[in-house]
Amino acid sequence: MINSGDTAWVLASSALVLLMTPGLAFFYGGMTRAKSTLNMMMMSFASLGVVSVLWVLFGYQLAFGDSGSEWYGALSFSGLSDSVNSLVANGAKYPIPVLAFAAFQLMFAVITPALISGAFAERIKFTGSMVFMALWLVIVYLPMAHMVWGAGGLMGAVSGAIPAFDFAGGTVVHINAAVAGLVGAYMVGKRVGYGREAMAPHSLTLTMVGASLLWVGWFGFNAGSNLEANGTAALAFMNTV
């Protein structure tokens, strides 16, 4: 039976994590030069659209569908239509609708490519960043999410061949994005004029606003990852403070 309290907490946490992506846009946008602010901010906002469409079409199933593979889930273009009234089954059953779980995980998938965009600041076109986000999501993020969080994944904490105890995205989101950002920054190279021109951030006030939104959203990011409104969620909430 679906637990309304747990469902409400996961949905509220999804909204909090969603807040982090525009917060990231402000955070990155304030640290660039004024002429690059709009491009920088739109990379984060556009991730909401690109990733959401791909997630609904096939992304969720590829990450969390049970295909029997350790590397990737089931490739299905169902558009989540077969998941409306289902319960979540991801190693253990949580008493929340699978759509609530899918929405929460979508917010993780949205912010991860947006995090990488900071490594390309002022050095990549908007259209190029959109192509990169779509390809990186399919080739890297979705298989990694399945390997760590999906049923039968290679790095599943319970039965994986290489157990990874990832409570709130330490592997799937943060390490994943950090490695991609490092490689991306190396490949695109330095900004034109770096070391010869002043490249001071144009608005650290905007960056502070973004940092504040990220902090607020982090309560949903961490405490919501428990998927239940209980003592463990409260512990994660307090640790986030």
PDB file of all heavy atoms in Angstrom, residues 161-187:
ATOM      1  N   ALA A 161      28.897  -6.698  -7.830  1.00  0.00           N
ATOM      2  CA  ALA A 161      30.232  -7.280  -7.831  1.00  0.00           C
ATOM      3  C   ALA A 161      31.262  -6.304  -7.258  1.00  0.00           C
ATOM      4  O   ALA A 161      32.257  -6.710  -6.661  1.00  0.00           O
ATOM      5  CB  ALA A 161      30.620  -7.683  -9.257  1.00  0.00           C
ATOM      6  N   ILE A 162      31.005  -5.005  -7.437  1.00  0.00           N
ATOM      7  CA  ILE A 162      31.872  -3.956  -6.880  1.00  0.00           C
ATOM      8  C   ILE A 162      30.976  -3.019  -6.076  1.00  0.00           C
ATOM      9  O   ILE A 162      30.553  -1.975  -6.570  1.00  0.00           O
ATOM     10  CB  ILE A 162      32.599  -3.172  -7.991  1.00  0.00           C
ATOM     11  CG1 ILE A 162      33.277  -4.131  -8.973  1.00  0.00           C
ATOM     12  CG2 ILE A 162      33.616  -2.203  -7.396  1.00  0.00           C
ATOM     13  CD1 ILE A 162      33.866  -3.447 -10.184  1.00  0.00           C
ATOM     14  N   PRO A 163      30.638  -3.352  -4.833  1.00  0.00           N
ATOM     15  CA  PRO A 163      29.645  -2.582  -4.077  1.00  0.00           C
ATOM     16  C   PRO A 163      30.034  -1.121  -3.896  1.00  0.00           C
ATOM     17  O   PRO A 163      31.172  -0.805  -3.553  1.00  0.00           O
ATOM     18  CB  PRO A 163      29.601  -3.305  -2.722  1.00  0.00           C
ATOM     19  CG  PRO A 163      30.156  -4.660  -2.988  1.00  0.00           C
ATOM     20  CD  PRO A 163      31.175  -4.480  -4.062  1.00  0.00           C
ATOM     21  N   ALA A 164      29.078  -0.227  -4.167  1.00  0.00           N
ATOM     22  CA  ALA A 164      29.268   1.206  -3.948  1.00  0.00           C
ATOM     23  C   ALA A 164      28.118   1.701  -3.085  1.00  0.00           C
ATOM     24  O   ALA A 164      26.962   1.640  -3.497  1.00  0.00           O
ATOM     25  CB  ALA A 164      29.294   1.956  -5.283  1.00  0.00           C
ATOM     26  N   PHE A 165      28.419   2.172  -1.902  1.00  0.00           N
ATOM     27  CA  PHE A 165      27.391   2.625  -0.978  1.00  0.00           C
ATOM     28  C   PHE A 165      27.111   4.110  -1.241  1.00  0.00           C
ATOM     29  O   PHE A 165      27.683   4.988  -0.596  1.00  0.00           O
ATOM     30  CB  PHE A 165      27.825   2.374   0.463  1.00  0.00           C
ATOM     31  CG  PHE A 165      27.988   0.919   0.779  1.00  0.00           C
ATOM     32  CD1 PHE A 165      29.216   0.293   0.609  1.00  0.00           C
ATOM     33  CD2 PHE A 165      26.913   0.162   1.225  1.00  0.00           C
ATOM     34  CE1 PHE A 165      29.372  -1.059   0.877  1.00  0.00           C
ATOM     35  CE2 PHE A 165      27.060  -1.191   1.501  1.00  0.00           C
ATOM     36  CZ  PHE A 165      28.287  -1.804   1.324  1.00  0.00           C
ATOM     37  N   ASP A 166      26.266   4.358  -2.206  1.00  0.00           N
ATOM     38  CA  ASP A 166      25.967   5.718  -2.669  1.00  0.00           C
ATOM     39  C   ASP A 166      24.570   6.113  -2.184  1.00  0.00           C
ATOM     40  O   ASP A 166      23.571   5.772  -2.798  1.00  0.00           O
ATOM     41  CB  ASP A 166      26.038   5.771  -4.196  1.00  0.00           C
ATOM     42  CG  ASP A 166      25.965   7.181  -4.740  1.00  0.00           C
ATOM     43  OD1 ASP A 166      25.478   8.070  -4.018  1.00  0.00           O
ATOM     44  OD2 ASP A 166      26.385   7.403  -5.880  1.00  0.00           O
ATOM     45  N   PHE A 167      24.527   6.859  -1.073  1.00  0.00           N
ATOM     46  CA  PHE A 167      23.234   7.225  -0.497  1.00  0.00           C
ATOM     47  C   PHE A 167      22.574   8.369  -1.245  1.00  0.00           C
ATOM     48  O   PHE A 167      21.372   8.362  -1.477  1.00  0.00           O
ATOM     49  CB  PHE A 167      23.422   7.619   0.972  1.00  0.00           C
ATOM     50  CG  PHE A 167      22.151   8.014   1.671  1.00  0.00           C
ATOM     51  CD1 PHE A 167      21.236   7.055   2.100  1.00  0.00           C
ATOM     52  CD2 PHE A 167      21.851   9.348   1.901  1.00  0.00           C
ATOM     53  CE1 PHE A 167      20.064   7.419   2.734  1.00  0.00           C
ATOM     54  CE2 PHE A 167      20.673   9.727   2.540  1.00  0.00           C
ATOM     55  CZ  PHE A 167      19.781   8.751   2.955  1.00  0.00           C
ATOM     56  N   ALA A 168      23.361   9.369  -1.642  1.00  0.00           N
ATOM     57  CA  ALA A 168      22.764  10.569  -2.245  1.00  0.00           C
ATOM     58  C   ALA A 168      23.599  11.109  -3.401  1.00  0.00           C
ATOM     59  O   ALA A 168      23.834  12.306  -3.499  1.00  0.00           O
ATOM     60  CB  ALA A 168      22.570  11.652  -1.183  1.00  0.00           C
ATOM     61  N   GLY A 169      24.041  10.225  -4.265  1.00  0.00           N
ATOM     62  CA  GLY A 169      24.666  10.683  -5.493  1.00  0.00           C
ATOM     63  C   GLY A 169      26.149  10.953  -5.459  1.00  0.00           C
ATOM     64  O   GLY A 169      26.674  11.573  -6.382  1.00  0.00           O
ATOM     65  N   GLY A 170      26.848  10.499  -4.438  1.00  0.00           N
ATOM     66  CA  GLY A 170      28.276  10.748  -4.372  1.00  0.00           C
ATOM     67  C   GLY A 170      29.030  10.199  -5.576  1.00  0.00           C
ATOM     68  O   GLY A 170      29.960  10.822  -6.084  1.00  0.00           O
ATOM     69  N   THR A 171      28.610   9.026  -6.034  1.00  0.00           N
ATOM     70  CA  THR A 171      29.241   8.402  -7.200  1.00  0.00           C
ATOM     71  C   THR A 171      28.552   8.822  -8.490  1.00  0.00           C
ATOM     72  O   THR A 171      29.180   9.317  -9.422  1.00  0.00           O
ATOM     73  CB  THR A 171      29.195   6.861  -7.084  1.00  0.00           C
ATOM     74  OG1 THR A 171      29.834   6.460  -5.883  1.00  0.00           O
ATOM     75  CG2 THR A 171      29.893   6.211  -8.264  1.00  0.00           C
ATOM     76  N   VAL A 172      27.251   8.635  -8.547  1.00  0.00           N
ATOM     77  CA  VAL A 172      26.494   8.848  -9.785  1.00  0.00           C
ATOM     78  C   VAL A 172      26.486  10.314 -10.207  1.00  0.00           C
ATOM     79  O   VAL A 172      26.581  10.634 -11.392  1.00  0.00           O
ATOM     80  CB  VAL A 172      25.051   8.336  -9.622  1.00  0.00           C
ATOM     81  CG1 VAL A 172      24.245   8.573 -10.895  1.00  0.00           C
ATOM     82  CG2 VAL A 172      25.045   6.856  -9.268  1.00  0.00           C
ATOM     83  N   VAL A 173      26.383  11.215  -9.239  1.00  0.00           N
ATOM     84  CA  VAL A 173      26.289  12.642  -9.559  1.00  0.00           C
ATOM     85  C   VAL A 173      27.653  13.326  -9.440  1.00  0.00           C
ATOM     86  O   VAL A 173      28.190  13.847 -10.419  1.00  0.00           O
ATOM     87  CB  VAL A 173      25.258  13.351  -8.652  1.00  0.00           C
ATOM     88  CG1 VAL A 173      25.230  14.851  -8.934  1.00  0.00           C
ATOM     89  CG2 VAL A 173      23.880  12.747  -8.866  1.00  0.00           C
ATOM     90  N   HIS A 174      28.242  13.319  -8.265  1.00  0.00           N
ATOM     91  CA  HIS A 174      29.387  14.183  -7.994  1.00  0.00           C
ATOM     92  C   HIS A 174      30.687  13.687  -8.629  1.00  0.00           C
ATOM     93  O   HIS A 174      31.361  14.446  -9.344  1.00  0.00           O
ATOM     94  CB  HIS A 174      29.546  14.372  -6.486  1.00  0.00           C
ATOM     95  CG  HIS A 174      28.314  14.917  -5.833  1.00  0.00           C
ATOM     96  ND1 HIS A 174      27.817  16.154  -6.142  1.00  0.00           N
ATOM     97  CD2 HIS A 174      27.454  14.384  -4.925  1.00  0.00           C
ATOM     98  CE1 HIS A 174      26.710  16.377  -5.432  1.00  0.00           C
ATOM     99  NE2 HIS A 174      26.480  15.313  -4.704  1.00  0.00           N
ATOM    100  N   ILE A 175      31.065  12.446  -8.379  1.00  0.00           N
ATOM    101  CA  ILE A 175      32.289  11.930  -8.994  1.00  0.00           C
ATOM    102  C   ILE A 175      32.120  11.862 -10.509  1.00  0.00           C
ATOM    103  O   ILE A 175      33.021  12.208 -11.277  1.00  0.00           O
ATOM    104  CB  ILE A 175      32.649  10.548  -8.421  1.00  0.00           C
ATOM    105  CG1 ILE A 175      32.998  10.663  -6.931  1.00  0.00           C
ATOM    106  CG2 ILE A 175      33.807   9.929  -9.201  1.00  0.00           C
ATOM    107  CD1 ILE A 175      33.295   9.337  -6.262  1.00  0.00           C
ATOM    108  N   ASN A 176      30.967  11.436 -10.939  1.00  0.00           N
ATOM    109  CA  ASN A 176      30.663  11.326 -12.364  1.00  0.00           C
ATOM    110  C   ASN A 176      30.815  12.675 -13.068  1.00  0.00           C
ATOM    111  O   ASN A 176      31.482  12.794 -14.097  1.00  0.00           O
ATOM    112  CB  ASN A 176      29.227  10.806 -12.521  1.00  0.00           C
ATOM    113  CG  ASN A 176      29.017  10.042 -13.811  1.00  0.00           C
ATOM    114  OD1 ASN A 176      29.954   9.748 -14.543  1.00  0.00           O
ATOM    115  ND2 ASN A 176      27.776   9.717 -14.098  1.00  0.00           N
ATOM    116  N   ALA A 177      30.197  13.709 -12.496  1.00  0.00           N
ATOM    117  CA  ALA A 177      30.270  15.047 -13.087  1.00  0.00           C
ATOM    118  C   ALA A 177      31.675  15.620 -12.988  1.00  0.00           C
ATOM    119  O   ALA A 177      32.146  16.310 -13.911  1.00  0.00           O
ATOM    120  CB  ALA A 177      29.273  15.979 -12.402  1.00  0.00           C
ATOM    121  N   ALA A 178      32.367  15.355 -11.884  1.00  0.00           N
ATOM    122  CA  ALA A 178      33.718  15.893 -11.690  1.00  0.00           C
ATOM    123  C   ALA A 178      34.686  15.339 -12.734  1.00  0.00           C
ATOM    124  O   ALA A 178      35.492  16.088 -13.312  1.00  0.00           O
ATOM    125  CB  ALA A 178      34.215  15.579 -10.285  1.00  0.00           C
ATOM    126  N   VAL A 179      34.616  14.047 -12.980  1.00  0.00           N
ATOM    127  CA  VAL A 179      35.501  13.433 -13.974  1.00  0.00           C
ATOM    128  C   VAL A 179      35.197  13.980 -15.364  1.00  0.00           C
ATOM    129  O   VAL A 179      36.102  14.327 -16.132  1.00  0.00           O
ATOM    130  CB  VAL A 179      35.367  11.899 -13.955  1.00  0.00           C
ATOM    131  CG1 VAL A 179      36.120  11.273 -15.130  1.00  0.00           C
ATOM    132  CG2 VAL A 179      35.885  11.328 -12.636  1.00  0.00           C
ATOM    133  N   ALA A 180      33.896  14.082 -15.694  1.00  0.00           N
ATOM    134  CA  ALA A 180      33.509  14.614 -16.999  1.00  0.00           C
ATOM    135  C   ALA A 180      33.955  16.065 -17.149  1.00  0.00           C
ATOM    136  O   ALA A 180      34.432  16.485 -18.218  1.00  0.00           O
ATOM    137  CB  ALA A 180      31.998  14.510 -17.177  1.00  0.00           C
ATOM    138  N   GLY A 181      33.806  16.860 -16.094  1.00  0.00           N
ATOM    139  CA  GLY A 181      34.225  18.256 -16.142  1.00  0.00           C
ATOM    140  C   GLY A 181      35.729  18.394 -16.318  1.00  0.00           C
ATOM    141  O   GLY A 181      36.203  19.241 -17.079  1.00  0.00           O
ATOM    142  N   LEU A 182      36.493  17.550 -15.619  1.00  0.00           N
ATOM    143  CA  LEU A 182      37.952  17.600 -15.723  1.00  0.00           C
ATOM    144  C   LEU A 182      38.405  17.253 -17.138  1.00  0.00           C
ATOM    145  O   LEU A 182      39.240  17.954 -17.733  1.00  0.00           O
ATOM    146  CB  LEU A 182      38.581  16.631 -14.717  1.00  0.00           C
ATOM    147  CG  LEU A 182      40.109  16.556 -14.702  1.00  0.00           C
ATOM    148  CD1 LEU A 182      40.714  17.888 -14.316  1.00  0.00           C
ATOM    149  CD2 LEU A 182      40.568  15.456 -13.740  1.00  0.00           C
ATOM    150  N   VAL A 183      37.842  16.188 -17.692  1.00  0.00           N
ATOM    151  CA  VAL A 183      38.199  15.783 -19.054  1.00  0.00           C
ATOM    152  C   VAL A 183      37.766  16.848 -20.059  1.00  0.00           C
ATOM    153  O   VAL A 183      38.509  17.203 -20.986  1.00  0.00           O
ATOM    154  CB  VAL A 183      37.564  14.424 -19.400  1.00  0.00           C
ATOM    155  CG1 VAL A 183      37.795  14.079 -20.869  1.00  0.00           C
ATOM    156  CG2 VAL A 183      38.124  13.327 -18.504  1.00  0.00           C
ATOM    157  N   GLY A 184      36.542  17.377 -19.858  1.00  0.00           N
ATOM    158  CA  GLY A 184      36.036  18.394 -20.767  1.00  0.00           C
ATOM    159  C   GLY A 184      36.874  19.655 -20.749  1.00  0.00           C
ATOM    160  O   GLY A 184      37.181  20.233 -21.804  1.00  0.00           O
ATOM    161  N   ALA A 185      37.278  20.109 -19.559  1.00  0.00           N
ATOM    162  CA  ALA A 185      38.098  21.318 -19.442  1.00  0.00           C
ATOM    163  C   ALA A 185      39.446  21.119 -20.122  1.00  0.00           C
ATOM    164  O   ALA A 185      39.974  22.031 -20.764  1.00  0.00           O
ATOM    165  CB  ALA A 185      38.297  21.669 -17.971  1.00  0.00           C
ATOM    166  N   TYR A 186      39.996  19.921 -19.990  1.00  0.00           N
ATOM    167  CA  TYR A 186      41.280  19.637 -20.637  1.00  0.00           C
ATOM    168  C   TYR A 186      41.133  19.650 -22.159  1.00  0.00           C
ATOM    169  O   TYR A 186      41.999  20.175 -22.875  1.00  0.00           O
ATOM    170  CB  TYR A 186      41.790  18.275 -20.176  1.00  0.00           C
ATOM    171  CG  TYR A 186      43.068  17.841 -20.854  1.00  0.00           C
ATOM    172  CD1 TYR A 186      44.301  18.353 -20.464  1.00  0.00           C
ATOM    173  CD2 TYR A 186      43.022  16.906 -21.896  1.00  0.00           C
ATOM    174  CE1 TYR A 186      45.466  17.956 -21.097  1.00  0.00           C
ATOM    175  CE2 TYR A 186      44.190  16.513 -22.535  1.00  0.00           C
ATOM    176  CZ  TYR A 186      45.408  17.032 -22.130  1.00  0.00           C
ATOM    177  OH  TYR A 186      46.554  16.647 -22.763  1.00  0.00           O
ATOM    178  N   MET A 187      40.023  19.125 -22.653  1.00  0.00           N
ATOM    179  CA  MET A 187      39.843  19.012 -24.106  1.00  0.00           C
ATOM    180  C   MET A 187      39.553  20.367 -24.763  1.00  0.00           C
ATOM    181  O   MET A 187      40.046  20.644 -25.855  1.00  0.00           O
ATOM    182  CB  MET A 187      38.723  18.019 -24.412  1.00  0.00           C
ATOM    183  CG  MET A 187      39.066  16.580 -24.055  1.00  0.00           C
ATOM    184  SD  MET A 187      37.800  15.397 -24.560  1.00  0.00           S
ATOM    185  CE  MET A 187      37.945  15.492 -26.344  1.00  0.00           C
TER     186      MET A 187
END
